[in-house]
Amino acid sequence: MRSAIVALALIILTSPVMAQSLSGQADVIDVDTIAIRGEKTRIRLYGVDGPESQQTCNDASGARYLCGSKAADALASIIGRNGRVSCKEQDRDRYGRIVVTCEANGRDIAGELIRQGWAVEYTQYSDGRYSDEEEEAQRAKRGLWAGTFVKPWEWRRGERLPNEASTGSDRKCAIKGNISGAERIYHLPGSRNYARTTIDESKGERWFCSEDEAKAAGWRAPRG
């Protein structure tokens, strides 16, 4: 009897938590993040990574364009006019977002986004399920693959195309990455110390285009 109780306890402890299912009207936050109306937590698409909202890429002719914005438009088009999605939880990321696979109009959203070339497989976290779609997009030179671009995770670490870095009044990235002693702190526009914070890039200070990029590079938000 005791052994049966122990076995049952082990099954309960080792069984995965039942995956959460979500469905409803979706709003596009960016190319790999959506929000379902009525749900407080933002939802990240499993196995896919797309260009950041302020990221630029080069098209087939070498002209620079806002690929993050273009990719988000592609996601909205895949979801369609009725905006309804059905999603199943796969994981939780470090920012507390639910990581899900989603379908809209009978199509896997992430797979279709990668097949159209507006996102890439997030190989660090995926199980290789979208490798065929990415190979197809790359071979056909669709979306991002029509020109040149920096992989999103490398862009968040500070990698840029040679013609992408902007300075002065043309600067697209407005988050200030300040270094104070051993502390690396980022300041968002409109925050308490933003206006009085100056950036000296010769000292290793830098500008970021998103909080995810700043955090990935080792900067943190101010305390208090």
Side-chain angles (χ1 to χ4, degrees), residues 30-33 44 48-55 93-95 97 120-125 150-160 164 173 206-219:
D30 58 36
V31 66
D32 47 40
T33 309
R44 194 180 195 301
V48 63
D49 199 9
E52 296 292 324
S53 58
Q54 293 297 322
Q55 184 173 349
D93 72 8
R94 57 181 173 171
Y95 305 119
R97 293 174 298 189
V120 293
E121 184 175 23
Y122 205 169
T123 52
Q124 183 178 352
Y125 300 106
V150 174
K151 294 287 180 68
W153 55 86
E154 294 174 349
W155 193 89
R156 289 192 292 271
R157 290 198 297 263
E159 295 292 325
R160 296 290 185 271
E164 190 178 1
C173 306
R206 51 186 290 195
W207 297 83
F208 297 104
C209 294
S210 70
E211 286 192 81
D212 283 358
E213 181 192 1
K215 290 172 182 175
W219 266 254

Side-chain angles (χ1 to χ4, degrees), residues 2 9 22 55 60 110 131 144-145 151 156 162 166 193 201 204 214:
R2 178 181 174 82
L22 301 164
Q55 184 173 349
S131 58
L144 303 172
W145 301 102
K151 294 287 180 68
R156 289 192 292 271
S166 58
N193 296 316
E201 292 178 301

Side-chain angles (χ1 to χ4, degrees), residues 195-210:
R196 66 183 182 183
T197 299
T198 58
I199 298 301
D200 185 347
E201 292 178 301
S202 68
K203 294 180 180 179
E205 296 177 332
R206 51 186 290 195
W207 297 83
F208 297 104
C209 294
S210 70

